[in-house]
Amino acid sequence: RLKDIELAKLGDSDVHVKMLAAPINPADINMIQGTYPNLSPLPAVGGNEGVGEVLEVGRGVAALKPGDWVIPATNALGTWRTQGVFPEETLLKVPSDMPVLCAATLSVNPCTAFRMLADFETLAPGDSVIQNAANSGVGQAVIQIAKASGIKTINVVRDRPDLPKLVERLMALGADHVITEEMLRKPEMKEIFKSIPKPRLALNCVGGKSTTEMLRHLQPKGTMVTYGGMARQPLMVPVSAFIFRDVRLRGFWMTQWRKDHAQDQESVTTMMDTLCQLIQKGQLTAPACTEVPLQDYKAALENAMKPFISSKQVLLL
C-alpha cells in the first residue's frame, strides 16, 4: 500500500535523503513474498536499491553534504519512498553527474557482475565467459564490464518471439555471441570455439537442464558461479564433469559479500570507483528501464513479475 508515514527525526549521524528513483528487482519481489533469506521486520518499506539526493545531514556527518547523490550501502534500506532518514553508514556517495537511471540501478546488478568477473577466476583479455539470462540486469552489466576488459562473452537467452531484436540489443552492448538455450547442444557451438577459447567461467542465473548444457562447454578446472535460479529447478551436474574435468561449482550473493566486506572499505571503494568510471566513459549503461510514477506502483510490480520482460521497472519518486 502507498502510505504517508512520519519522517524520523534527524540524529547526529543521520542523513535526510530525497529519493529520486528506485528499481524493482526480483529480490524485492521475493522479500515481499517472504521467500528471501533476508527479510525486514514488518511493517516495512520495500526496495533494496535506488538513488537519492541529500537534503540535510546530522551534526556528526562529515563525508556527505546537501546536494550529494547517495545509493544504499546495505540491502533492505526501503528505497520505495519519496524521502527517508538513514544512518550515514548505510549510504554510499556517487557522482551526481551520472544519468539518474545508472545511479538508481548501480548497487545490485553491476556490483554482482563486477564481483563474479573478478573473484572466481583470473581472467585476461582474450579469455571468455559464458552466461545464461544474458538479458537480465546482471547479464547486461557482465557484457559491458567484460567488453571494457577485453573479455569475450557467450550469452545464452531463452527463445522468444522478438529474438532478433534482443540479439541486436545485446550485440550493441558489446556481446560477442548471443545464442538460445537450444543452441547449447547443437554443432554450431564448435564454430564459436574456433574463434574464441572455451570459457573458464560460467555464470548461472537459471538452473535446470539448460545450465547442465552450459556446463558442458566449460574448460577443465573451470568454475560455474550460481547467483540465481529463475527456472526454479535444481542444478544437475554429471558425475563425469567433476571426475574427469574437475569443474568447480560456487555460489554468489551480493548481500553476503557486503556483510563479509563491511570492514574492508578499500574493496568497496575500488569497485564503486571502477563502475562509476565505466559509466562516465559510456562503457556501462543502465539496463533497459521503464519509468513509472510511484502512484502506479501496482502496475510496475505486476509488470516486474511478467516473463520475457526485458525492461526493469523503475519507480520515479
Side-chain angles (χ1 to χ4, degrees), residues 37-269:
N38 243 24
L39 296 176
S40 303
L42 298 173
V45 177
N48 283 295
E49 193 178 30
V51 62
E53 183 184 334
V54 175
L55 293 181
E56 194 184 351
V57 299
R59 284 182 306 190
V61 175
L64 295 170
K65 62 184 189 305
D68 285 347
W69 276 19
V70 288
I71 62 171
T74 59
N75 83 326
L77 200 59
T79 53
W80 299 347
R81 63 172 97 211
T82 54
Q83 294 188 30
V85 171
F86 307 108
E88 182 187 13
E89 71 270 12
T90 62
L91 302 169
L92 282 173
K93 183 179 168 179
V94 293
S96 55
D97 58 354
M98 71 166 79
V100 71
L101 291 177
C102 286
T105 56
L106 177 57
S107 66
V108 177
N109 294 337
C111 291
T112 299
F114 182 90
R115 295 266 54 105
M116 291 194 301
L117 287 169
D119 293 353
F120 295 92
E121 289 283 344
T122 308
L123 299 171
D127 284 345
S128 76
V129 172
I130 189 167
Q131 64 164 344
N132 54 27
N135 58 309
S136 67
V138 172
Q140 292 176 58
V142 164
I143 290 169
Q144 294 174 86
I145 296 166
K147 173 83 173 173
S149 311
I151 295 160
K152 310 285 183 192
T153 56
I154 303 157
N155 301 281
V156 186
V157 296
R158 286 185 294 174
D159 201 0
R160 64 194 64 215
D162 62 343
L163 184 65
K165 210 160 85 180
L166 176 61
V167 171
E168 193 182 317
R169 192 152 63 79
L170 296 183
M171 296 297 271
L173 289 179
D176 294 282
H177 299 277
V178 182
I179 59 171
T180 61
E181 291 180 339
E182 291 72 28
M183 270 183 71
L184 279 168
R185 48 190 94 98
K186 295 212 170 136
E188 289 100 302
M189 291 303 291
K190 285 197 177 108
E191 288 303 309
I192 289 177
F193 295 125
K194 280 179 182 169
S195 59
I196 62 173
K198 283 205 160 194
R200 288 215 316 278
L201 181 66
L203 305 176
N204 167 44
C205 183
V206 179
K209 199 170 166 189
S210 70
T211 301
T212 309
E213 295 293 341
M214 188 167 77
L215 188 71
R216 285 187 11 204
H217 300 293
L218 202 58
Q219 272 191 39
K221 295 191 188 301
T223 305
M224 176 181 275
V225 182
T226 293
Y227 68 99
M230 286 161 62
R232 298 189 180 169
Q233 290 168 353
L235 197 50
M236 310 284 273
V237 181
V239 171
S240 60
F242 282 123
I243 298 174
F244 303 120
R245 290 177 36 239
D246 190 17
V247 297
R248 281 185 275 269
L249 265 61
R250 300 286 305 273
F252 183 76
W253 185 30
M254 194 64 216
T255 301
Q256 190 61 49
W257 188 92
R258 287 196 195 284
K259 279 184 196 159
D260 293 346
H261 294 79
Q263 305 309 315
D264 176 12
Q265 226 20 66
E266 198 181 328
S267 288
V268 178
T269 305

